[in-house]
Amino acid sequence: MKTRGAWAVSRQGIRTVTVLELRQRIRSTRWVIALVVWFLVVAAITGLTFAVFRSDLIGTDPTQPWIGRTIFGLVVFFVLFLGLLVSPTLSATAINGDRAAGTLATLQVTSLSAAEIVFGKLLASWIAALAFLAVSVPFILIAMSAGGTSAASVLSTLALLAVILAAVCAIGLGFSALTARTPASAVLTYIAVATLTVLSLIAFGLTVPAISSDDQVRLYDVSPAATWDQSGDQQCVWRTQTIRQVHTERTWWLLAINPFVVVADAMPESAIGSAGASAGDQDPMSIIRRGVREARTGPGNEQTRCWSSTQSGPAERPLNRSPVWPWGLAVNVLLGAIAVWFAVRRLRIPQRNLARGTRVA
Amino acid sequence: MAINAEGDGADPAAGVVATDVHRSFGPVRAVNGVNLTARKGAVTALIGPNGAGKTTLLLVLAGLLAPSSGTVRVAGLDPVTQSSLARTKTGWMPDVFGTWDTLTAREVLTTVADAYRIPRAVARPRVAGLLGLVHLAEYADRPAHVLSRGQKQRLGLARALVHDPEVLLLDEPASGLDPRSRVDLRHLLRDLAADGMTVIVSSHVLSELDELADDAVFMSRGQTVASETMAEASSSLRSWRVGTLSLSTLTAWLTDADIVWRPAPGHRPGIDLPHDEPGAVLVDLAGAEQASELLARMVGARLPVSSLAPAAGALEQAYLALDEERR
């Protein structure tokens, strides 16, 4: 028999912890009530979204693809929103709660490794989060039936939601290993989620002055001496001018780490990048996607302000179309991985240092 | 009193050996120089006042805390470097613990068996046997939260035994147990020790340990202050209580016989002694043989003696004696 370290992992060990966690949770009736409430809320939101976008208020043909995509996008965003609200409660007290209840140390002294305990708890909270996601699937499918969304993008969206919820569960687990008291870890987890979703957005807005600069830009502009010629076209010339530009290419990542942006950006593009919003991409997902990619591209050092049919100006600065969501998803997953690593370190025994305010047993 | 200072060489057959173990939490030195040898096949009592470091020492022995310095061997293994292996040989029952409330007693033990990687086929009969052993068979399929404190305590004991450990560490196991369960616990631990298990029991309820323990280790302020076998503790000088129908007759005889006596507590010590009324006095005797001898003399002198018994448990007296030394 070999000595197993803190990172030794076996399927059986993880399953033991996961089954234990789920048994404790599933047998409480609160869990069933929560699922029912979730079901009703998502149903209500889906119904309301349909009611709004199928009504005369929109003033356009309700069978247009972008209407269908808007309905789909709003339902998915709402499910993600609820998932971000619920996931922290599933994992953010998993470790310090057990410690307070006096059940953690009795598990640590068994043959289970620290990693098995952490992964088992993570898996259990993720399964619980997936149960909420599964309850939402009927409504996501109903939203898909509104048109404009392919089955493939429904699947990829669900997969992304699942990964994001796993990352949030992992972050909650990390905080539950950090703090002694359960309210503290719950609050920290919500702050982390709020940082990813709302505070990052606010930071993006607030940093606009900091990333603005007066740049020398080549402008292809109407000549000051120009007169309207017979054809009605403008006389355009190149000139250099100092104008104020917002260099969002330095802060686009603040948008990219947002789980909502990740989900939106990963949707297959419809008519992205074409000048002006075509009828195809007025849905929220497409608007976000275009916005974040434009932010990433940033302003160039050449601009055209001349719209002439005869004179060819500089080609419009190409939009960086490479997807943003892999970066955002990677950051979220990385945060989760760091949290898991930290939690395993905290659960290693024999413990050398005890965090302030914590007890072993 | 035969109290040998600790630190003599480790017994190779020992189940648990701790050598100069220190453990501090920041500025607090919870364990500050513990030397302890717990023999295999014996019950060792860990005795000390609250805050003496008993629980911390047991956490170190259970492999949950690393000692700041010093070495520990549990079943011949180092809980620091051979953590997982040592854990499989160690059963630990904390003083305060929770149960997984929504699980039944049987599920609790099955889960622990899973956690120790015991195959289900082996675990099932073992769990059933343990539930019977701690008299919880009728509660096997009820959720743990309906169990009383004492029943949970017994379930905790069964949990510590699931993997058939070589070393059993029990932190205040008798707290919350009714008298019947205490007797059962005593018999169970004696049986386990007889089967070759090393049992360490911490407690401050000394009367519990008198009949249970083979050896005693005294702890005070994070240190082992003394250790002795129960035989030593019993043979050392201790107070015996002599009950009589006539205090004046007894005390007069004791004074004549040059036997030092003092009023027994609870019998209004001081000026109004001796009276010609029933009462009791304390005398210091070195073991049962001296007691028997004294009894024979008193009966021979036709004194109205009604009883002669140790005034308190052997451990309690040893403990109190240590306490006084410390002051």
Coordinates of all heavy atoms in Angstrom, one line a residue, chain A residues 162-249:
Chain A
A162 N -22.9 25.7 -18.7 CA -22.5 24.6 -17.7 C -21.1 24.9 -17.3 O -20.8 24.8 -16.1 CB -22.6 23.3 -18.4
V163 N -20.2 25.3 -18.2 CA -18.8 25.5 -17.8 C -18.7 26.8 -16.9 O -18.0 26.8 -15.9 CB -17.9 25.7 -19.1 CG1 -16.5 26.1 -18.7 CG2 -17.9 24.4 -19.9
I164 N -19.5 27.8 -17.2 CA -19.4 29.0 -16.4 C -19.9 28.7 -15.0 O -19.4 29.2 -14.0 CB -20.3 30.2 -17.1 CG1 -19.5 30.6 -18.4 CG2 -20.5 31.3 -16.1 CD1 -20.4 31.6 -19.2
L165 N -21.0 28.0 -14.9 CA -21.6 27.6 -13.6 C -20.5 26.8 -12.8 O -20.4 27.0 -11.6 CB -22.9 26.9 -13.7 CG -24.0 27.7 -14.3 CD1 -25.3 26.9 -14.3 CD2 -24.2 29.0 -13.5
A166 N -19.8 25.9 -13.5 CA -18.8 25.1 -12.8 C -17.7 26.1 -12.3 O -17.3 25.9 -11.1 CB -18.1 24.1 -13.8
A167 N -17.3 27.1 -13.1 CA -16.3 28.0 -12.6 C -16.8 28.8 -11.4 O -16.1 29.0 -10.4 CB -15.9 29.0 -13.7
V168 N -18.1 29.2 -11.4 CA -18.6 30.0 -10.3 C -18.7 29.1 -9.0 O -18.3 29.5 -7.9 CB -20.0 30.5 -10.6 CG1 -20.7 31.1 -9.4 CG2 -19.9 31.6 -11.7
C169 N -19.1 27.8 -9.2 CA -19.1 26.9 -8.1 C -17.7 26.7 -7.5 O -17.5 26.7 -6.3 CB -19.6 25.5 -8.5 SG -21.4 25.4 -8.8
A170 N -16.7 26.6 -8.4 CA -15.3 26.5 -7.9 C -14.9 27.7 -7.1 O -14.2 27.6 -6.1 CB -14.4 26.2 -9.1
I171 N -15.3 28.9 -7.6 CA -14.9 30.1 -6.9 C -15.5 30.1 -5.5 O -14.9 30.4 -4.5 CB -15.3 31.3 -7.7 CG1 -14.4 31.4 -9.0 CG2 -15.2 32.6 -6.9 CD1 -14.9 32.4 -10.0
G172 N -16.8 29.7 -5.5 CA -17.5 29.6 -4.2 C -16.8 28.7 -3.2 O -16.6 29.0 -2.0
L173 N -16.3 27.6 -3.8 CA -15.7 26.6 -2.9 C -14.3 27.1 -2.4 O -14.0 26.9 -1.2 CB -15.4 25.3 -3.8 CG -15.3 24.0 -3.1 CD1 -16.5 23.7 -2.3 CD2 -15.0 22.9 -4.2
G174 N -13.6 27.9 -3.3 CA -12.4 28.5 -2.8 C -12.6 29.4 -1.6 O -11.9 29.4 -0.7
F175 N -13.6 30.2 -1.8 CA -13.9 31.2 -0.7 C -14.4 30.4 0.6 O -14.1 30.9 1.7 CB -15.0 32.2 -1.1 CG -14.4 33.3 -2.0 CD1 -14.9 33.6 -3.2 CD2 -13.4 34.1 -1.5 CE1 -14.4 34.6 -4.0 CE2 -12.9 35.1 -2.3 CZ -13.4 35.3 -3.5
S176 N -15.1 29.3 0.4 CA -15.5 28.6 1.6 C -14.3 27.9 2.3 O -14.4 27.6 3.5 CB -16.6 27.5 1.2 OG -16.0 26.4 0.7
A177 N -13.2 27.8 1.6 CA -12.0 27.3 2.2 C -11.2 28.4 2.8 O -10.4 28.2 3.7 CB -11.1 26.5 1.2
L178 N -11.5 29.6 2.4 CA -10.7 30.8 2.8 C -11.2 31.3 4.2 O -10.4 31.5 5.1 CB -10.8 31.9 1.8 CG -10.2 33.2 2.2 CD1 -8.6 33.1 2.2 CD2 -10.6 34.3 1.2
T179 N -12.5 31.5 4.3 CA -13.1 32.1 5.5 C -13.6 31.1 6.5 O -14.0 30.0 6.1 CB -14.2 33.1 5.1 OG1 -15.3 32.3 4.7 CG2 -13.8 34.0 4.0
A180 N -13.6 31.5 7.7 CA -14.1 30.6 8.8 C -15.6 30.6 8.8 O -16.2 29.6 9.1 CB -13.5 31.0 10.1
R181 N -16.2 31.8 8.6 CA -17.6 31.9 8.7 C -18.3 31.8 7.4 O -17.8 32.4 6.4 CB -17.9 33.2 9.4 CG -17.5 33.2 10.9 CD -17.6 34.6 11.5 NE -18.8 35.4 11.1 CZ -20.0 35.2 11.7 NH1 -20.1 34.3 12.6 NH2 -21.0 35.8 11.3
T182 N -19.4 31.2 7.4 CA -20.1 30.9 6.1 C -20.7 32.2 5.5 O -20.7 32.4 4.3 CB -21.3 29.9 6.3 OG1 -22.1 30.3 7.3 CG2 -20.7 28.5 6.5
P183 N -21.2 33.2 6.3 CA -21.7 34.4 5.6 C -20.6 35.1 4.8 O -20.9 35.7 3.8 CB -22.3 35.2 6.8 CG -22.5 34.3 7.9 CD -21.5 33.2 7.7
A184 N -19.4 35.1 5.4 CA -18.3 35.8 4.8 C -18.0 35.2 3.4 O -17.8 35.9 2.4 CB -17.1 35.8 5.7
S185 N -18.0 33.9 3.3 CA -17.6 33.3 2.0 C -18.7 33.5 1.0 O -18.5 33.7 -0.2 CB -17.3 31.8 2.2 OG -18.4 31.1 2.8
A186 N -20.0 33.5 1.5 CA -21.1 33.7 0.6 C -21.0 35.1 0.0 O -21.2 35.3 -1.2 CB -22.4 33.5 1.3
V187 N -20.8 36.1 0.9 CA -20.7 37.5 0.4 C -19.5 37.6 -0.6 O -19.6 38.2 -1.6 CB -20.5 38.4 1.6 CG1 -20.1 39.8 1.2 CG2 -21.8 38.5 2.4
L188 N -18.4 37.0 -0.2 CA -17.2 37.1 -1.1 C -17.5 36.5 -2.5 O -17.1 37.1 -3.5 CB -16.0 36.5 -0.5 CG -15.3 37.3 0.7 CD1 -14.2 36.4 1.3 CD2 -14.7 38.5 0.1
T189 N -18.2 35.4 -2.5 CA -18.5 34.8 -3.8 C -19.4 35.7 -4.6 O -19.2 35.8 -5.8 CB -19.2 33.4 -3.5 OG1 -18.4 32.7 -2.6 CG2 -19.3 32.6 -4.8
Y190 N -20.4 36.3 -3.9 CA -21.3 37.2 -4.7 C -20.5 38.4 -5.2 O -20.8 38.9 -6.3 CB -22.5 37.6 -3.8 CG -23.6 36.6 -3.8 CD1 -23.9 35.8 -2.6 CD2 -24.2 36.2 -5.0 CE1 -24.9 34.9 -2.7 CE2 -25.2 35.3 -5.0 CZ -25.6 34.6 -3.9 OH -26.5 33.6 -3.9
I191 N -19.6 38.9 -4.3 CA -18.8 40.0 -4.8 C -18.0 39.6 -6.0 O -17.8 40.3 -7.0 CB -17.9 40.5 -3.7 CG1 -18.7 41.2 -2.6 CG2 -16.8 41.4 -4.2 CD1 -17.9 41.6 -1.4
A192 N -17.4 38.4 -6.0 CA -16.7 37.9 -7.2 C -17.5 37.8 -8.4 O -17.1 38.3 -9.5 CB -16.1 36.5 -6.9
V193 N -18.8 37.3 -8.2 CA -19.7 37.2 -9.4 C -20.0 38.6 -9.9 O -20.1 38.9 -11.1 CB -20.9 36.4 -9.0 CG1 -22.0 36.5 -10.1 CG2 -20.6 34.9 -8.8
A194 N -20.3 39.5 -8.9 CA -20.7 40.9 -9.3 C -19.5 41.5 -10.0 O -19.7 42.3 -10.9 CB -21.1 41.7 -8.0
T195 N -18.3 41.2 -9.5 CA -17.1 41.8 -10.2 C -17.0 41.4 -11.6 O -16.7 42.2 -12.5 CB -15.8 41.4 -9.4 OG1 -15.9 41.8 -8.1 CG2 -14.6 42.0 -10.0
L196 N -17.3 40.1 -11.9 CA -17.2 39.6 -13.2 C -18.3 40.2 -14.1 O -18.1 40.4 -15.3 CB -17.3 38.1 -13.2 CG -16.1 37.3 -12.7 CD1 -16.4 35.8 -12.6 CD2 -14.9 37.5 -13.7
T197 N -19.5 40.4 -13.6 CA -20.6 40.8 -14.4 C -20.9 42.3 -14.4 O -21.0 42.8 -15.5 CB -21.9 40.0 -13.9 OG1 -22.0 40.3 -12.6 CG2 -21.7 38.6 -14.1
V198 N -20.9 42.9 -13.3 CA -21.3 44.3 -13.2 C -20.2 45.2 -13.0 O -20.0 46.2 -13.7 CB -22.4 44.5 -12.1 CG1 -22.9 45.9 -12.1 CG2 -23.6 43.6 -12.3
L199 N -19.4 44.9 -12.0 CA -18.3 45.9 -11.7 C -17.3 46.0 -12.8 O -16.7 47.1 -13.0 CB -17.5 45.4 -10.4 CG -18.4 45.4 -9.1 CD1 -17.6 45.0 -7.9 CD2 -19.0 46.8 -8.9
S200 N -17.1 44.9 -13.6 CA -16.1 45.0 -14.7 C -16.7 46.0 -15.7 O -16.0 46.7 -16.4 CB -15.9 43.6 -15.3 OG -17.1 43.1 -15.8
L201 N -18.0 45.9 -15.9 CA -18.7 46.8 -16.8 C -18.5 48.3 -16.4 O -18.2 49.2 -17.2 CB -20.2 46.4 -16.9 CG -20.9 46.8 -18.2 CD1 -20.3 46.1 -19.4 CD2 -22.4 46.3 -18.1
I202 N -18.8 48.5 -15.1 CA -18.6 49.8 -14.6 C -17.2 50.3 -14.7 O -16.9 51.4 -15.1 CB -19.1 49.9 -13.1 CG1 -20.6 49.6 -13.0 CG2 -18.7 51.2 -12.4 CD1 -21.1 49.4 -11.6
A203 N -16.2 49.4 -14.4 CA -14.8 49.8 -14.6 C -14.5 50.1 -16.0 O -13.8 51.1 -16.3 CB -14.0 48.6 -14.1
F204 N -15.1 49.4 -16.9 CA -14.9 49.7 -18.3 C -15.3 51.1 -18.6 O -14.6 51.9 -19.3 CB -15.6 48.7 -19.2 CG -15.4 48.9 -20.7 CD1 -14.3 48.5 -21.3 CD2 -16.4 49.6 -21.4 CE1 -14.1 48.7 -22.7 CE2 -16.2 49.8 -22.8 CZ -15.1 49.3 -23.4
G205 N -16.5 51.5 -18.1 CA -17.0 52.8 -18.4 C -16.1 53.9 -17.7 O -15.8 54.9 -18.2
L206 N -15.8 53.6 -16.4 CA -15.0 54.6 -15.7 C -13.6 54.8 -16.2 O -13.0 55.8 -15.9 CB -15.0 54.2 -14.2 CG -16.4 54.3 -13.5 CD1 -16.2 53.8 -12.0 CD2 -17.0 55.7 -13.6
T207 N -13.0 53.8 -16.9 CA -11.7 54.0 -17.3 C -11.6 54.7 -18.7 O -10.5 54.9 -19.2 CB -11.0 52.6 -17.5 OG1 -11.8 51.8 -18.3 CG2 -10.7 52.0 -16.1
V208 N -12.8 55.1 -19.2 CA -12.7 55.8 -20.5 C -11.8 57.0 -20.5 O -11.0 57.2 -21.4 CB -14.2 56.1 -21.0 CG1 -14.2 57.1 -22.1 CG2 -14.9 54.8 -21.4
P209 N -11.9 57.9 -19.5 CA -11.0 59.0 -19.5 C -9.5 58.6 -19.5 O -8.7 59.2 -20.2 CB -11.4 59.8 -18.3 CG -12.8 59.4 -17.9 CD -12.9 58.0 -18.4
A210 N -9.3 57.6 -18.7 CA -7.9 57.2 -18.6 C -7.3 56.6 -19.9 O -6.1 56.7 -20.1 CB -7.8 56.1 -17.5
I211 N -8.1 56.0 -20.7 CA -7.6 55.4 -21.9 C -7.8 56.3 -23.1 O -7.6 55.9 -24.3 CB -8.3 54.0 -22.2 CG1 -9.8 54.2 -22.2 CG2 -7.8 53.0 -21.1 CD1 -10.5 52.9 -22.7
S212 N -8.3 57.5 -22.8 CA -8.5 58.5 -24.0 C -7.2 59.3 -24.2 O -6.5 59.6 -23.2 CB -9.6 59.5 -23.6 OG -10.8 58.8 -23.5
S213 N -6.9 59.5 -25.4 CA -5.7 60.3 -25.7 C -5.9 61.1 -27.0 O -6.7 60.8 -27.8 CB -4.4 59.4 -25.8 OG -4.7 58.5 -26.8
D214 N -5.1 62.2 -27.1 CA -5.2 63.0 -28.3 C -4.2 62.4 -29.3 O -3.0 62.5 -29.0 CB -4.8 64.5 -27.9 CG -5.9 65.1 -27.1 OD1 -7.1 64.8 -27.3 OD2 -5.5 65.8 -26.1
D215 N -4.7 61.9 -30.3 CA -3.8 61.2 -31.3 C -3.8 62.0 -32.6 O -4.7 62.7 -33.0 CB -4.4 59.8 -31.6 CG -4.4 58.9 -30.4 OD1 -3.7 59.3 -29.4 OD2 -5.2 58.0 -30.4
Q216 N -2.6 61.9 -33.2 CA -2.5 62.4 -34.6 C -3.1 61.3 -35.5 O -2.7 60.2 -35.6 CB -1.0 62.5 -35.0 CG -0.3 63.6 -34.2 CD -0.2 64.9 -34.9 OE1 0.0 64.9 -36.1 NE2 -0.4 66.0 -34.2
V217 N -4.2 61.7 -36.1 CA -4.9 60.8 -37.0 C -5.0 61.3 -38.4 O -5.2 62.5 -38.6 CB -6.4 60.6 -36.4 CG1 -7.2 59.7 -37.3 CG2 -6.3 60.0 -35.0
R218 N -4.8 60.4 -39.3 CA -4.9 60.8 -40.7 C -6.4 60.7 -41.1 O -7.1 59.7 -40.9 CB -4.2 59.9 -41.7 CG -2.7 60.1 -41.6 CD -2.0 59.2 -42.7 NE -2.2 59.8 -44.0 CZ -2.3 59.1 -45.1 NH1 -2.3 57.7 -45.0 NH2 -2.5 59.6 -46.3
L219 N -6.9 61.8 -41.5 CA -8.4 61.9 -41.8 C -8.5 62.0 -43.3 O -7.8 62.7 -44.0 CB -9.0 63.1 -41.2 CG -9.3 63.0 -39.7 CD1 -10.0 64.3 -39.2 CD2 -10.3 61.8 -39.4
Y220 N -9.4 61.2 -43.9 CA -9.8 61.4 -45.3 C -11.1 62.1 -45.2 O -12.1 61.6 -44.9 CB -9.9 60.0 -45.9 CG -10.1 60.1 -47.4 CD1 -9.0 60.6 -48.2 CD2 -11.2 59.6 -48.1 CE1 -9.1 60.7 -49.6 CE2 -11.3 59.7 -49.5 CZ -10.3 60.3 -50.2 OH -10.4 60.3 -51.6
D221 N -11.0 63.4 -45.5 CA -12.1 64.3 -45.1 C -12.4 65.2 -46.3 O -11.7 65.3 -47.3 CB -11.7 65.2 -43.9 CG -12.9 65.7 -43.2 OD1 -14.0 65.4 -43.7 OD2 -12.7 66.3 -42.2
V222 N -13.6 65.8 -46.2 CA -14.0 66.7 -47.2 C -13.0 67.9 -47.3 O -12.7 68.4 -46.2 CB -15.4 67.2 -46.9 CG1 -15.9 68.2 -48.0 CG2 -16.4 66.0 -46.8
S223 N -12.5 68.2 -48.4 CA -11.6 69.2 -48.6 C -12.2 70.6 -48.1 O -13.3 70.9 -48.5 CB -11.1 69.3 -50.0 OG -10.6 70.6 -50.3
P224 N -11.5 71.4 -47.3 CA -12.1 72.6 -46.9 C -12.4 73.5 -48.1 O -13.3 74.3 -48.0 CB -10.9 73.2 -46.1 CG -10.0 72.1 -45.7 CD -10.1 71.1 -46.8
A225 N -11.7 73.3 -49.2 CA -11.9 74.2 -50.3 C -12.9 73.6 -51.3 O -13.1 74.0 -52.4 CB -10.6 74.4 -51.0
A226 N -13.5 72.5 -50.9 CA -14.3 71.7 -51.8 C -15.6 72.4 -52.1 O -16.1 73.1 -51.3 CB -14.6 70.3 -51.2
T227 N -16.0 72.2 -53.3 CA -17.3 72.6 -53.7 C -18.1 71.4 -54.2 O -17.5 70.4 -54.5 CB -17.3 73.7 -54.8 OG1 -16.5 73.1 -55.8 CG2 -16.6 75.0 -54.2
W228 N -19.4 71.5 -54.1 CA -20.1 70.4 -54.6 C -20.0 70.4 -56.1 O -20.2 71.4 -56.8 CB -21.6 70.6 -54.3 CG -21.8 70.5 -52.7 CD1 -22.0 71.5 -51.9 CD2 -21.9 69.3 -52.0 NE1 -22.2 71.1 -50.6 CE2 -22.1 69.7 -50.7 CE3 -21.7 68.0 -52.3 CZ2 -22.2 68.8 -49.6 CZ3 -21.8 67.1 -51.2 CH2 -22.0 67.5 -49.9
D229 N -19.6 69.3 -56.7 CA -19.5 69.2 -58.1 C -20.8 68.7 -58.7 O -21.7 68.5 -57.9 CB -18.3 68.4 -58.6 CG -18.4 66.9 -58.2 OD1 -19.6 66.5 -57.8 OD2 -17.4 66.2 -58.2
Q230 N -20.8 68.6 -60.0 CA -22.1 68.3 -60.6 C -22.7 67.0 -60.2 O -23.9 66.9 -60.1 CB -21.9 68.3 -62.2 CG -21.9 69.7 -62.8 CD -20.6 70.4 -62.6 OE1 -19.6 69.9 -62.0 NE2 -20.5 71.6 -63.2
S231 N -21.8 66.1 -60.0 CA -22.4 64.8 -59.6 C -22.9 64.7 -58.2 O -23.5 63.7 -57.8 CB -21.3 63.7 -59.8 OG -20.3 63.9 -58.8
G232 N -22.6 65.7 -57.4 CA -23.1 65.7 -56.0 C -22.1 65.1 -55.1 O -22.3 65.0 -53.9
D233 N -20.9 64.6 -55.7 CA -20.0 64.0 -54.8 C -19.1 65.0 -54.1 O -19.0 66.2 -54.6 CB -19.1 63.0 -55.6 CG -19.7 61.7 -55.6 OD1 -20.6 61.4 -54.8 OD2 -19.3 60.8 -56.4
Q234 N -18.4 64.6 -53.1 CA -17.6 65.5 -52.4 C -16.1 65.4 -52.8 O -15.7 64.4 -53.3 CB -17.6 65.3 -50.9 CG -19.0 65.5 -50.2 CD -19.1 64.8 -48.9 OE1 -18.9 63.6 -48.9 NE2 -19.4 65.5 -47.9
Q235 N -15.4 66.5 -52.7 CA -14.0 66.5 -53.0 C -13.3 66.1 -51.6 O -13.5 66.8 -50.6 CB -13.5 67.8 -53.4 CG -14.0 68.3 -54.8 CD -13.1 67.7 -55.9 OE1 -11.9 67.5 -55.7 NE2 -13.8 67.4 -57.0
C236 N -12.6 65.0 -51.6 CA -12.0 64.6 -50.4 C -10.5 64.6 -50.5 O -9.9 64.2 -51.5 CB -12.5 63.2 -50.0 SG -14.2 63.2 -49.5
V237 N -9.8 64.9 -49.4 CA -8.4 64.9 -49.3 C -7.9 64.3 -48.0 O -8.6 64.2 -47.1 CB -7.8 66.3 -49.5 CG1 -8.1 66.9 -50.9 CG2 -8.4 67.2 -48.4
W238 N -6.6 63.9 -48.0 CA -6.0 63.4 -46.8 C -5.5 64.6 -46.0 O -4.9 65.5 -46.5 CB -4.9 62.5 -47.1 CG -5.3 61.1 -47.4 CD1 -5.3 60.5 -48.7 CD2 -5.8 60.1 -46.5 NE1 -5.8 59.2 -48.6 CE2 -6.1 58.9 -47.3 CE3 -6.0 60.1 -45.2 CZ2 -6.6 57.8 -46.7 CZ3 -6.5 58.9 -44.6 CH2 -6.8 57.8 -45.4
R239 N -5.7 64.6 -44.7 CA -5.1 65.6 -43.9 C -4.9 64.9 -42.5 O -5.5 63.9 -42.1 CB -5.9 66.9 -43.8 CG -7.2 66.7 -43.1 CD -8.0 68.0 -43.3 NE -9.4 67.9 -42.9 CZ -9.8 68.1 -41.6 NH1 -8.9 68.5 -40.7 NH2 -11.0 67.9 -41.2
T240 N -4.0 65.6 -41.7 CA -3.7 65.0 -40.4 C -4.3 65.9 -39.4 O -4.1 67.2 -39.5 CB -2.2 64.9 -40.2 OG1 -1.6 64.2 -41.3 CG2 -1.8 64.3 -38.9
Q241 N -4.9 65.4 -38.4 CA -5.5 66.2 -37.3 C -5.4 65.5 -36.0 O -5.3 64.2 -35.9 CB -7.0 66.4 -37.7 CG -7.7 67.4 -36.9 CD -9.1 67.5 -37.2 OE1 -9.6 67.2 -38.3 NE2 -9.9 68.0 -36.2
T242 N -5.3 66.2 -35.0 CA -5.3 65.7 -33.6 C -6.7 65.5 -33.1 O -7.4 66.5 -33.0 CB -4.5 66.5 -32.7 OG1 -3.2 66.7 -33.2 CG2 -4.4 65.9 -31.3
I243 N -7.1 64.3 -32.9 CA -8.5 64.2 -32.3 C -8.4 63.2 -31.1 O -7.4 62.5 -30.9 CB -9.5 63.6 -33.3 CG1 -9.0 62.2 -33.8 CG2 -9.7 64.5 -34.5 CD1 -10.1 61.5 -34.6
R244 N -9.4 63.3 -30.3 CA -9.4 62.5 -29.0 C -10.0 61.2 -29.4 O -11.1 61.0 -30.0 CB -10.3 63.3 -28.0 CG -10.1 62.8 -26.6 CD -10.5 63.8 -25.6 NE -10.2 63.3 -24.3 CZ -9.0 63.5 -23.7 NH1 -8.1 64.1 -24.4 NH2 -8.8 63.0 -22.5
Q245 N -9.3 60.1 -28.9 CA -9.7 58.8 -29.2 C -9.7 58.0 -27.9 O -8.9 58.1 -27.0 CB -8.8 58.1 -30.2 CG -8.9 58.6 -31.6 CD -8.2 57.8 -32.6 OE1 -7.0 57.5 -32.4 NE2 -8.8 57.5 -33.7
V246 N -10.7 57.1 -27.9 CA -10.8 56.2 -26.7 C -10.2 54.8 -27.1 O -10.7 54.1 -28.0 CB -12.3 56.0 -26.3 CG1 -12.4 55.1 -25.0 CG2 -12.9 57.4 -26.0
H247 N -9.1 54.5 -26.4 CA -8.4 53.3 -26.8 C -9.0 52.1 -26.1 O -8.4 51.5 -25.1 CB -6.9 53.4 -26.6 CG -6.3 54.4 -27.5 ND1 -5.9 54.0 -28.8 CD2 -6.0 55.7 -27.5 CE1 -5.4 55.0 -29.5 NE2 -5.5 56.1 -28.7
T248 N -10.1 51.6 -26.5 CA -10.8 50.5 -25.8 C -10.0 49.2 -26.0 O -10.3 48.2 -25.3 CB -12.2 50.3 -26.3 OG1 -12.2 50.3 -27.7 CG2 -13.1 51.4 -25.9
E249 N -9.1 49.2 -27.0 CA -8.3 48.0 -27.1 C -7.4 47.7 -25.9 O -6.9 46.6 -25.8 CB -7.4 48.1 -28.4 CG -6.2 49.0 -28.3 CD -6.5 50.4 -28.7 OE1 -7.7 50.8 -28.7 OE2 -5.5 51.2 -28.9

